[in-house]
Amino acid sequence: MTTTTGTLTTAGSVGSAHVRVEGRAKVTGAARYAADLPFAELAHGWMVLSTVARGRVRSVESAPVLAMPGVLTVLHHGNAPRVDGDYVGTLGRPDPIVACFQDDHVPCAGWPVALVVAQTPEQAREAAEALAVQYDEESHDVAFYAGRPGTYTPENSPMLQAETLKGDMEAELAASAVVVDAEYTTPQEHHHALEPHAATARWEGGRLEVVDSNQGSMWVADELAKLFSLDPASVRVRSEHVGGGFGSKGVRPHQVCAVMAATVLHRPVRVVLTRRQMFTAVGYRSPTTQRVRLGADADGRLRALDHQAQNLTSRVHEFVEQSASIGRVMYDADAHHTVHRVVPLDVATPTWMRAPGEAPGSFALESALDELAEKCGVDPIVLRSRNEPVTGPVSGLPFSSRNVLACFREGARRFGWADRDPRPGLRREGRWLLGTGTAAATYPSGAAPSTAAVTAEADGTFTVRISAADIGTGARTALTLIAADALEVRPDRVRVRIADSDFGPAMIAGGSMGTRSWGWAVMTAVDELQDQLALGGDIPPEGITVRSDTSAAVAALAAKERHSFGAQFAEVAVDTSSGEVRVRRMLGIFAAGRIVNPLTAHSQFVGGMTWGISMALHEEAVRDQASGSHVSADLAGYHFAANADVPLVEADWVDDPDADDPVGIKGIGEIGIVGAAAAIANAVWHATGVRHRHLPIRPDRVLLSGSRDIASG
């Protein structure tokens, strides 16, 4: 059981450990997920995806399938309802993959080309697998590598600063006593939450109702309204329980297909994706190539920092994996350059995935910092402390709080870092070489405008309504505690209802901004409610309700750099006979603002760190160049950390007050993975003396890495 170091606590509920308010319902099976809810006359849709990487659909031979038992319809580009895919939504223009069946164009393998709907899911699947689709196939290109032809720097946008530059990079590199110039790569990775994507659509009383598994019910409702040219008030989306999302559960083809079929058949239709379909239909983390150049004085003080990141995107929609962004916050230098570049290929569009940009970017930058420390003969933690910025290295803004060095001090103490011999390849237990490594972590801490309604009920309880999404983070419980403290009542007197678009606009569960944004809205509503209650008088049977809107208040956050920070530590053992790498222990210490619920916060940190083990050693989606499709698109061929791969993982935090922030909360859902892979890779170097710059660190790569000790056993 972890202890908490200096955890912020109050006399109320916030800061104390609480089990999830919906925990009993989940473990007993009473909680209903998107594919669990019963509907009268429910039909089932099964998506048919393209088997070619580029071309056009010549024909969909639906007649034989329509004659099969239970089949109700086959939708394709020749008969599907028309949608408007040319709109600007919450996060910009949509990926064209959601405008299903609008033409015969096939831009990648796994592109939706048809939907078979039947009375039962078994009938739908059998018919979908029997559906013959003929293509006019065209040549394709899916090869991704550094600096390949067609690579370009994207334009700036509100969500992307493509390039930053200050100082004379080449001059500072030339004047540096020590230089690191290396290329790092990360592979394609996939979300694959425990609950697959699922949606049920129906028309009821002139309104479109969708029960879905998503990261923002209002977000999805707004996008569907735009796609189908509907009055936003006529669309309702609910998503009460979600079994994980990690960035992939926005608007996806399965929801659109369900709405199309429900519209055509005038009955509820459910579409659930398979694991194989999730490899192409819901996004993924793009592979990256990253060149990092560091120039420093002999003592390790940075003179130059150059981070150039490249990722792939589809030919139909641009997505930028902002891997170079992490250096804009972490380290200053006299010359500082970061840039993102993309190359369009015949592939599905990537998307946000837990700690987008920071996860792969931290592997490259924090590995390069470790290489610099080695060349300078400086302890990796000391090197980082010598390059600790006073203000934002690029923005020049003051930090709202920055306690990364406190994380390193506490982590070093608990991990036993002071006893570490910095020389690599010296510690051995039998056939195992042992090593330790560390890395820094950071992730932005923002907030977005949100609304919340709080009702004082006649029976003395309170009801909170907000379009928040609990994707496993414990947000429902955190909001209960925040509301209880603001109302100065016990948590059992507060009922929090979430994930219903009828509750009004609210931030999505993404960007580590959800709980902070929602908590702010709830606290604002409570303040206004208490003002009304202070006037006295009885509460009427319908209660007294106040609705808040934080649109104006959150704008003030832009005046400072607001980030969570952390320090990752790892110990590994490397088998000299097989090349296997085992993580023996991990410790993460974080500075993440006010911790609302230590129980679920600890779970979030440990979950991210565990994913870091997968990222470092296991995860790698492989694409066949000839077909453009994935090799082994399932959870047998796509490896990730199993129970036996996960050692003792400890997570804790230090005090991280933000004096001018009315909420004090920072996001914790994503920072746990940041730096974790780098800490493991740095530990592998310490164990073997060989640097691994390409993830994952597979046994074959270890054996072929050139270590004489490993090769000879």
Side-chain angles (χ1 to χ4, degrees):
M1 175 65 70
T2 186
T3 58
T4 56
T5 304
T7 304
L8 291 175
T9 60
T10 70
S13 300
V14 171
S16 301
H18 286 259
V19 298
R20 298 171 187 263
V21 295
E22 82 286 4
R24 180 178 293 274
K26 285 182 173 177
V27 300
T28 59
R32 298 292 185 94
Y33 290 81
D36 295 335
L37 292 172
F39 290 92
E41 297 186 321
L42 178 64
H44 300 268
W46 200 277
M47 286 173 52
V48 179
L49 306 183
S50 165
T51 57
V52 303
R54 187 178 180 186
R56 295 194 175 274
V57 177
R58 185 192 317 143
S59 65
V60 179
E61 300 174 7
S62 57
V65 167
L66 288 168
M68 294 178 67
V71 175
L72 300 171
T73 191
V74 177
L75 298 180
H76 51 82
H77 72 276
N79 64 1
R82 300 293 92 185
V83 298
D84 178 12
D86 189 25
Y87 68 86
V88 178
T90 304
L91 300 179
R93 295 196 177 277
D95 183 347
I97 197 172
V98 304
C100 301
F101 319 139
Q102 298 302 290
D103 56 45
D104 61 358
H105 182 217
V106 176
C108 65
W111 188 263
V113 295
L115 179 77
V116 177
V117 187
Q119 300 282 7
T120 70
E122 294 79 11
Q123 291 170 335
R125 178 172 189 170
E126 182 181 10
E129 292 175 349
L131 182 67
V133 181
Q134 305 300 328
Y135 303 92
D136 291 323
E137 194 168 356
E138 302 170 7
S139 61
H140 64 269
D141 185 357
V142 298
F144 175 71
Y145 52 88
R148 60 153 293 159
T151 300
Y152 67 92
T153 302
E155 295 183 1
N156 290 335
S157 72
M159 298 184 66
L160 169 67
Q161 188 176 10
E163 188 168 14
T164 64
L165 176 64
K166 74 173 183 179
D168 188 329
M169 180 60 62
E170 300 307 321
E172 292 296 339
L173 284 170
S176 296
V178 182
V179 173
V180 170
D181 185 348
E183 181 182 284
Y184 305 85
T185 67
T186 60
Q188 182 171 316
E189 300 169 354
H190 289 265
H191 307 75
H192 281 284
L194 185 63
E195 179 198 17
H197 296 62
T200 304
R202 67 171 180 170
W203 289 91
E204 185 73 19
R207 295 189 79 193
L208 173 63
E209 293 195 356
V210 179
V211 176
D212 185 34
S213 178
N214 63 51
Q215 294 180 229
S217 54
M218 189 66 195
W219 173 32
V220 173
D222 182 65
E223 301 275 322
L224 290 177
K226 288 182 169 66
L227 267 170
F228 287 91
S229 302
L230 299 171
D231 180 352
S234 69
V235 181
R236 183 188 187 191
V237 175
R238 292 179 292 142
S239 187
E240 184 175 1
H241 297 290
V242 181
F246 311 115
S248 71
K249 286 186 175 175
V251 178
R252 298 297 178 190
H254 68 290
Q255 299 133 324
V256 180
C257 286
V259 174
M260 284 182 170
T263 302
V264 169
L265 295 173
H266 306 288
R267 61 189 290 183
V269 176
R270 174 171 294 157
V271 179
V272 181
L273 298 188
T274 67
R275 289 290 173 193
R276 182 171 291 272
Q277 291 171 339
M278 287 169 61
F279 273 88
T280 56
V282 299
Y284 54 92
R285 195 195 302 279
S286 169
T288 71
T289 63
Q290 302 176 60
R291 185 187 183 189
V292 179
R293 296 190 297 170
L294 302 177
D297 295 333
D299 63 357
R301 191 190 70 83
L302 285 171
R303 299 177 67 101
L305 188 157
D306 181 25
H307 191 169
Q308 304 175 42
Q310 178 189 10
N311 70 274
L312 62 74
T313 190
S314 70
R315 295 195 191 276
V316 297
H317 189 68
E318 181 184 271
F319 180 83
V320 183
E321 183 78 21
Q322 299 183 41
S323 303
S325 297
I326 190 167
R328 299 172 183 176
V329 175
M330 286 306 299
Y331 306 108
D332 202 357
D334 299 317
H336 200 291
H337 176 240
T338 63
V339 63
H340 300 108
R341 300 188 178 102
V342 293
V343 56
L345 299 173
D346 299 312
V347 297
T349 309
T351 193
W352 298 273
M353 184 168 169
R354 196 174 199 172
E358 278 77 5
S362 64
F363 166 66
L365 184 59
E366 292 298 308
S367 293
L369 261 291
D370 206 67
E371 295 196 49
L372 182 65
E374 175 196 354
K375 285 191 172 186
C376 292
V378 176
D379 179 87
I381 297 178
V382 172
L383 181 104
R384 286 169 173 81
S385 68
R386 288 178 182 171
N387 290 286
E388 179 72 357
V390 177
T391 60
V394 172
S395 70
L397 295 174
F399 289 98
S400 62
S401 63
R402 183 182 172 103
N403 288 301
V404 63
L405 294 185
C407 294
F408 272 113
R409 286 192 295 270
E410 178 62 16
R413 181 188 69 80
R414 290 175 53 168
F415 195 75
W417 188 261
D419 299 329
R420 178 183 190 259
D421 188 326
R423 295 173 298 172
L426 296 181
R427 293 175 59 200
R428 177 188 286 274
E429 289 182 4
R431 70 177 193 271
W432 297 93
L433 291 171
L434 308 182
T436 54
T438 190
T442 188
Y443 197 78
S445 175
S450 298
T451 63
V454 180
T455 301
E457 308 287 1
D459 63 359
T461 64
F462 298 86
T463 302
V464 175
R465 294 175 178 85
I466 185 168
S467 296
D470 192 335
I471 59 174
T473 57
R476 183 188 276 102
T477 306
L479 293 176
T480 301
L481 304 182
I482 291 169
D485 273 11
L487 290 162
E488 299 180 325
V489 299
R490 298 188 311 274
D492 59 10
R493 289 180 58 192
V494 177
R495 180 190 179 200
V496 174
R497 297 181 58 193
I498 65 171
D500 187 331
S501 62
D502 278 357
F503 295 160
M507 176 59 190
I508 65 173
S512 283
M513 293 193 289
T515 302
R516 186 183 196 186
S517 303
W518 307 324
W520 198 337
V522 169
M523 291 173 65
T524 302
V526 168
D527 287 345
E528 296 176 12
L529 177 63
Q530 287 177 324
D531 289 343
Q532 288 203 23
L533 295 177
L535 299 176
D538 294 333
I539 297 177
E542 68 275 13
I544 297 175
T545 300
V546 168
R547 171 170 291 278
S548 67
D549 186 342
T550 61
S551 298
V554 298
L557 294 178
K560 291 185 177 181
E561 284 275 4
R562 300 181 187 274
H563 287 253
S564 294
F565 294 96
Q568 304 271 17
F569 295 83
E571 179 181 24
V572 304
V574 182
D575 190 326
T576 57
S577 300
S578 68
E580 178 188 4
V581 178
R582 292 186 181 178
V583 178
R584 287 195 166 186
R585 60 188 175 110
M586 288 189 75
L587 171 66
I589 303 292
F590 302 95
R594 187 185 191 194
I595 301 300
V596 178
N597 185 357
L599 190 63
T600 52
H602 178 262
S603 177
Q604 284 292 291
F605 289 136
V606 169
M609 294 168 67
T610 301
W611 200 338
I613 297 174
S614 276
M615 181 180 177
L617 305 179
H618 304 288
E619 292 196 50
E620 180 181 25
V622 179
R623 194 183 299 276
D624 176 51
Q625 301 294 306
S627 68
S629 300
H630 289 96
V631 177
S632 301
D634 52 46
L635 297 188
Y638 181 77
H639 295 167
F640 55 90
N643 288 355
D645 300 305
V646 181
L648 174 65
V649 178
E650 295 180 283
D652 214 333
W653 46 88
V654 299
D655 278 1
D656 187 33
D658 188 348
D660 60 357
D661 188 327
V663 183
I665 298 170
K666 293 184 179 180
I668 61 176
E670 307 190 68
I671 192 173
I673 191 176
V674 181
I680 293 169
N682 293 339
V684 171
W685 168 81
H686 187 230
T688 65
V690 177
R691 181 68 60 178
H692 289 270
R693 302 186 181 97
H694 309 287
L695 295 183
I697 306 174
R698 302 188 313 250
D700 62 309
R701 286 177 169 168
V702 174
L703 292 176
L704 295 173
S705 61
S707 171
R708 293 182 181 179
D709 189 45
I710 290 178
S712 64

